[in-house]
Amino acid sequence: MLKRVGRAARRRVAAAAVAGALLAAAVAATAGPVQAAGPNIIVNGGFEDGLTSWFVNNGNSTDGATLSATTDAYAGSSAVLVTGRKTTGSGPMQDLSGKVQAGKTYAITARVKYENPNSPATKQFFATMHYGGSTYTNVGTVTVARGQWGLVQGTFTIPASQSVATARLFIETPWTSNPASDPNTHLMDFKVDDVSVSEFVPSTTIEALGKNPGEGNPLISHKFGADGNAFVHNGRVYIYMTNDTQEYKPGPTGVSSTNTYASINTITVISSDDLVNWVDHGEIPVAGPNGVARYANNSWAPAMESKVVGGKEKFFLYFANNGGGSGVIVGDSPVGPWHDERGNLLITSATPGASNGINWLFDPGVFIDDDGQGYLVFGGGGDDGSRSAENTNHPKSTRVIRLGDDMISTKGSAEVIDAPLVFEAGHLFKREGKYYYSYSSNFGFGGPVDPNGPPTGAIAYLMADSPMGPWTPETYKGIIFKNPGTYFGAGGNNHQSVFKLGDQYYFTYHAQTLNSRITGGATQGFRSPHLAKLDFNADGTIKEVKGDYKGVEQVRNLNPYRVIEAETIAWQQGIATKKIDGASEEFGAQAPNLVVHDIDNGDWTSLAKVDFGTAGATGVTAKVRPLVAGGKIQVRLDGRTSPVVATIPVDAPLGEWTKLTAVLDGVTGVHDVYFTYAGPEGADLFEIDSWSFATTSQEVKLTVTAAPRCIGSSVYVAVTAVNDGDAPATIELNTPFGKKTVADVAPGKQAYQSFNTRTAQIDAGKVTVTGTATIDGKQVTTSYDTNYTAAGCR
C-alpha cells in the first residue's frame, strides 16, 4: 500500500512536468535543445566500459531487472540491454549525487530501442530524476517506433528548494498500477545508449530560417538590430543599431524572456554597397565598464555623421544613455577604432532648453547642413498624467539644438518641436532645399487623439525651411509609415531613418519579424532592421511606405574576383559571427575582423547576384579554421539544394587558419551562390574568414601607381591606371577616400583621379584598381592592389 501511494505521488509530479514547457519540445526524436556543449555529467554514458557506474533503479522494493552489455549499439561498440523488468520503472540508473545542483538547468539526451514483436508499434520512454523518497520528475521523453533507435531529450530545472543529496537518473516506460497484467505492453525488454546530462547553457545562435531566399527583409537573420540609423560613405551604406541580441536569452524551450533593453550597451553595425548582401561588422562597445564611454550605462538608438574637424575626417556616433541623456563617441572610420573625446554626456537636463516637458533625453538624431553646421534632435515621452487632449496631442517633448563645430558640444539653446502626438525617434534630413523632421507618434496618453494628426505608433513628419524649424503643428504633413504591427502582426515601438544612395532615397525601420519566425508567431520585443524605397510627390511630400518582406532591389551585382568577408550574407541558416584578432582582409586594419562560426552540419550561407562575367570562375578559395576532421564546404548555384558545383574538403590541421581551394568549371553569368556546410553531426565543423574566386589566366593588364600629394593643407591620393592591354577596359579606382569608374579606356591610355582625403595627414594605405575588358570574346576582370605611403601637409 505504501508503495502504491509513493508511485501515485510520483506520477502526479511527472504529469505536472510533462504538461509544462520542459517537455513541450521534446516529444519528437529530432534535434536536441539549443545549448552550448557542456561536459557530460554521466559516467560511461556510451556503455563502452560495460556496466561501470550503472545499476538497476531500486527506488521501490519491487523494482528489479537485469542489465547486460550488448553489441547492438546506437554508436560505438556497446550499449546496455534491460531484461526481466519487474516494474515500469525498472531501468538503468546512475547516481548523480554531488554532480547536479538545485536551481540549475540541465539538458538530457539518451538513445532507446525495443524490439519485442508482440509489443505495441510505438512506445513512450522517459528519463526520470529521483531525488529521494517519492519525489520523481520526468525530465525527457520520446515516443519511438518498434525496432528503431529513438532520442529521449529534454531540459529541466531543478527547483532551488530541492534536495539533491540523493539525485539519481534512470530510464523507464510510463507507469501503470499493474504492469504484469500485460508485460508485452509495459515490461518489454529495451536497450539504452549514449546517455548524456549536461548543464544547459543557452545559445544565441538562431537556428530558425529567419529570412527566406529572395527576400530583402529583415536585412540580417543571424542576430537582431533595432532603431537602425543609416549613414552613407563612399558608396556604402552603414546601418547602426541598438543591439537587441544582448537581451536575447533563449531558455530551455528556445524562447527568450522579454527584451527590457536594460543590459544593452553596445551598437551593432552592418553595411552594404548593394542593399542585399550585408556585411556584419560586429558590435561597438559603447557604454559600461568595458565601453568607450564608461560614464554611460546604455547605448540605444544610435545616429551617425562624419565631418572634417581640424583637417581630419572624423565619424561621430551619438547614442542614448537610456532615457537619462545622450552621448557621443568618435571614430577614425565608419567602423572605428572608437574613442571618447568628451568624457561625459552631451545632452543632459542641464543642456539649455532641454528641460520642461521632456521625460526622456534620448533618441539623438544628427544632421549636417550644406554649410557644415550640425544639428541634433533629441527627446521623447511627455506624458504629464493629466489625460488631457492637449498633453496627448501636443506634449512638446522633443527638441532641436545646434552642434558646435567640433560636433561633440552644443551651442545656444534647444528649441521645442511641437509635432502632433510626438513621442520619440526624431530624425532630420534635407531634400531639395526642404527640411524634414520625422518621428514616432505616441500611443495615447489617456486623452482623445486628434483625428487630424497621425495615428498612434506611426512614423509621421513635418516639413520646414530651416533645420531649426520653426517646427509647429502647421508644418505637419502626414505619415510615412504605420506601426509595424499593421504589416507583420507584431507591433511595438517604431523607429526610422532616411538616406540617399545613388539617385534613390530609402527608409529604414524595424519590426519583430525574425523574433516571430523563431517562435512561430510569438514575440518578446526583439527587433530586426528593414529597408524600403522612399518616394516623394511633386510638392515634396512623402509617399507612404508599406512594410513587407520583399524589401528593395539589389542595386549592383557582387564582384567575386576579390576578397569577400565570409560574414557578407544575403540569406543564411544556423550560423553565428564573432570577432577575432587581426585586421579585416576586405576592410583593412581599421575594421574589426569577424568570422562565421558555430557552423554545424546542414548550416549554410549565401551571396546574392554574383557576377562571374563571361570568362567565368575557375576556382573558389575559403580561408577556414577546421575544428573537427571530415568537414566540407559545398558550393551551389541559385539554390541551397541545387547541384554541387564545387566541394572544398576542410582537411587542414585542426585549429589553424588555412586557405583551401576547389576547382570550378568555368561558372559564368550572374548567380546566387550558396555555401552549404557538411560534416560530423553534433560538432562545430569549422570557422570561415573569407571567400575569393579566381577567373581564367587571361587578365586585364594595367600598370597602377598611387601616391600622396599636398594641395594646400589637404592630402590627396593620386591614382593612375594605364591600360597595357590590347582591348578597351573599364577601370575602377577604389580608395579609402572614394572611388571612380572610367569606361572605355583605350589601350595605352590611362584612368586618373586625385582623391581628397579631407585631412592634413594620412597613414600608409592601399588602393584597389579593377579592370574589366572583353578578351577573346569573354569578359575578364582583374584586380590590382597598390600601396601608397604616409604623408602630411602643412
Side-chain angles (χ1 to χ4, degrees):
M1 188 69 177
L2 289 175
K3 174 194 72 175
R4 190 171 71 179
V5 170
R7 299 292 278 183
R10 161 183 164 181
R11 293 309 156 189
R12 284 196 292 273
V13 174
V18 172
L22 297 181
L23 300 180
V27 176
T30 56
V34 178
Q35 66 179 93
N40 189 2
I41 296 170
I42 296 291
V43 176
N44 188 30
F47 300 93
E48 299 306 307
D49 293 330
L51 302 180
T52 301
S53 299
W54 291 95
F55 54 94
V56 177
N57 173 28
N58 55 12
N60 286 276
S61 60
T62 55
D63 290 332
T66 298
L67 305 183
S68 59
T70 174
T71 57
D72 181 20
Y74 174 79
S77 60
S78 185
V80 66
L81 172 64
V82 187
T83 59
R85 292 194 296 150
K86 306 283 187 186
T87 65
T88 57
S90 300
M93 171 178 269
Q94 187 164 135
D95 190 351
L96 301 183
S97 304
K99 297 181 179 180
V100 294
Q101 299 179 39
K104 287 194 173 183
T105 300
Y106 297 88
I108 166 88
T109 59
R111 297 285 178 173
V112 295
K113 182 170 78 169
Y114 72 101
E115 298 167 297
N116 186 341
N118 298 315
S119 293
T122 61
K123 186 65 178 177
Q124 187 177 23
F125 287 81
F126 288 111
T128 301
M129 288 290 293
H130 182 201
Y131 298 112
S134 61
T135 306
Y136 294 79
T137 304
N138 297 143
V139 295
T141 187
V142 70
T143 297
V144 61
R146 184 178 56 234
Q148 298 182 15
W149 284 100
L151 175 62
V152 175
Q153 61 179 345
T155 52
F156 62 97
T157 301
I158 301 176
S161 60
Q162 176 64 58
S163 171
V164 291
T166 57
R168 295 177 172 186
L169 175 86
F170 65 98
I171 308 297
E172 63 173 340
T173 53
W175 178 80
T176 184
S177 60
N178 187 17
S181 64
D182 190 354
N184 288 326
T185 299
H186 304 297
L187 298 174
M188 76 282 286
D189 299 344
F190 64 90
K191 300 168 185 176
V192 178
D193 200 2
D194 286 358
V195 184
S196 172
V197 174
S198 58
E199 185 175 348
F200 178 85
V201 181
S203 168
T204 57
T205 298
I206 296 169
E207 304 292 344
L209 180 61
K211 179 182 181 183
N212 294 320
E215 293 178 343
N217 289 326
L219 303 183
I220 53 174
S221 60
H222 65 290
K223 59 172 62 173
F224 301 99
D227 308 323
N229 181 264
F231 168 70
V232 177
H233 191 259
N234 289 339
R236 174 172 289 270
V237 59
Y238 297 82
I239 298 183
Y240 301 81
M241 300 173 289
T242 305
N243 181 18
D244 277 11
T245 305
Q246 273 192 274
E247 284 269 318
Y248 182 59
K249 300 177 178 67
T253 62
V255 177
S256 177
S257 54
T258 299
N259 184 3
T260 68
Y261 321 127
S263 66
I264 300 175
N265 58 16
T266 61
I267 296 296
T268 296
V269 187
I270 61 174
S271 78
S272 177
D273 63 359
D274 63 31
L275 304 184
V276 173
N277 295 293
W278 290 92
V279 181
D280 182 359
H281 295 288
E283 280 66 48
I284 302 170
V286 177
N290 298 316
V292 176
R294 297 183 181 181
Y295 54 81
N297 295 317
N298 297 111
S299 57
W300 306 343
M304 164 65 75
E305 256 297 358
S306 71
K307 184 180 178 181
V308 175
V309 178
K312 179 181 179 180
E313 185 176 24
K314 295 183 177 183
F315 299 83
F316 301 92
L317 180 61
Y318 302 84
F319 64 93
N321 180 37
N322 54 67
S326 293
V328 58
I329 60 174
V330 183
D332 297 331
S333 80
V335 290
W338 302 94
H339 46 276
D340 175 29
E341 290 192 356
R342 182 178 168 84
N344 52 29
L345 291 173
L346 173 64
I347 300 295
T348 69
S349 59
T351 302
S355 58
N356 298 326
I358 297 183
N359 294 139
W360 307 317
L361 297 165
F362 70 174
D363 286 11
V366 63
F367 166 73
I368 299 178
D369 209 350
D370 299 335
D371 60 1
Q373 175 62 56
Y375 300 84
L376 197 75
V377 293
F378 64 92
D383 184 3
D384 66 4
S386 67
R387 294 176 166 263
S388 69
E390 177 63 22
N391 178 240
T392 297
N393 294 284
H394 300 283
K396 302 176 183 178
S397 59
T398 60
R399 301 287 187 272
V400 58
I401 195 169
R402 291 179 178 86
L403 289 168
D405 292 340
D406 58 5
M407 297 292 288
I408 62 170
S409 63
T410 62
K411 56 186 180 182
S413 180
E415 296 187 14
V416 172
I417 298 174
D418 187 4
L421 215 66
V422 69
F423 190 53
E424 58 184 353
H427 178 72
L428 190 61
F429 72 97
K430 182 181 183 181
R431 176 185 178 270
E432 296 184 356
K434 291 291 185 180
Y435 298 85
Y436 297 75
Y437 173 76
S438 63
Y439 62 96
S440 176
S441 60
N442 66 55
F443 292 88
F445 295 154
V449 174
D450 185 350
N452 296 314
T456 59
I459 300 299
Y461 74 105
L462 315 179
M463 286 177 64
D465 295 323
S466 165
M468 299 297 289
W471 301 107
T472 64
E474 291 73 28
T475 63
Y476 171 72
K477 296 299 180 182
I479 67 165
I480 304 176
F481 181 70
K482 294 185 176 73
N483 191 267
T486 306
Y487 311 103
F488 304 108
N493 62 7
N494 214 347
H495 204 109
Q496 80 300 340
S497 76
V498 173
F499 69 94
K500 184 181 182 184
L501 186 66
D503 295 327
Q504 178 64 50
Y505 283 86
Y506 295 92
F507 177 81
T508 70
Y509 63 97
H510 65 221
Q512 296 185 65
T513 45
L514 177 58
N515 190 176
S516 179
R517 283 176 167 175
I518 291 170
T519 62
T523 55
Q524 295 81 43
F526 296 96
R527 302 155 296 177
S528 294
H530 285 230
L531 198 56
K533 288 176 63 177
L534 189 68
D535 294 318
F536 296 80
N537 298 306
D539 62 356
T541 56
I542 299 172
K543 295 182 179 180
E544 184 178 339
V545 171
K546 295 184 178 180
D548 61 24
Y549 287 101
K550 181 180 178 182
V552 302
E553 297 296 325
Q554 190 165 334
V555 298
R556 58 184 294 182
N557 293 334
L558 188 147
N559 172 21
Y561 303 120
R562 58 181 179 84
V563 173
I564 303 168
E565 294 292 345
E567 62 275 12
T568 305
I569 298 171
W571 311 283
Q572 65 80 37
Q573 187 170 7
I575 63 90
T577 59
K578 70 176 183 180
K579 183 181 181 297
I580 64 170
D581 292 337
S584 164
E585 282 195 82
E586 181 178 358
F587 295 95
Q590 289 183 314
N593 188 28
L594 271 72
V595 298
V596 173
H597 82 118
D598 201 0
I599 299 173
D600 304 314
N601 182 56
D603 292 347
W604 56 275
T605 60
S606 65
L607 299 169
K609 291 187 179 179
V610 179
D611 189 355
F612 293 103
T614 57
T618 57
V620 56
T621 297
K623 184 178 180 182
V624 297
R625 188 169 80 96
L627 301 177
V628 296
K632 60 184 178 181
I633 300 170
Q634 300 162 325
V635 183
R636 306 170 191 261
L637 302 179
D638 302 319
R640 57 193 172 105
T641 60
S642 298
V644 175
V645 297
T647 298
I648 305 175
V650 185
D651 53 7
L654 299 186
E656 296 184 14
W657 285 105
T658 311
K659 287 189 176 182
L660 301 173
T661 299
V663 173
L664 282 170
D665 187 17
V667 174
T668 62
V670 178
H671 298 276
D672 296 335
V673 176
Y674 289 79
F675 303 100
T676 58
Y677 309 120
E681 288 282 358
D684 287 348
L685 303 179
F686 38 76
E687 296 172 348
I688 311 173
D689 191 2
S690 64
W691 308 109
S692 61
F693 290 83
T695 186
T696 63
S697 58
Q698 293 175 320
E699 62 179 3
V700 180
K701 297 179 181 180
L702 303 176
T703 298
V704 180
T705 59
R709 61 193 183 98
C710 293
I711 299 178
S713 60
S714 293
V715 180
Y716 285 70
V717 174
V719 183
T720 303
V722 178
N723 182 1
D724 294 328
D726 299 322
T730 295
I731 299 176
E732 181 180 271
L733 314 175
N734 197 334
T735 79
F737 314 106
K739 64 177 64 175
K740 181 178 181 179
T741 300
V742 182
D744 297 324
V745 178
K749 300 299 182 180
Q750 69 181 30
Y752 171 83
Q753 179 66 32
S754 185
F755 295 91
N756 188 354
T757 70
R758 303 183 187 280
T759 181
Q761 184 171 343
I762 61 169
D763 296 328
K766 179 182 72 174
V767 302
T768 299
V769 175
T770 302
T772 302
T774 300
I775 302 175
D776 297 332
K778 295 182 178 180
Q779 182 175 309
V780 178
T781 299
T782 308
S783 293
Y784 296 82
D785 289 336
T786 300
N787 296 323
Y788 57 84
T789 60
C793 301
R794 294 184 179 178

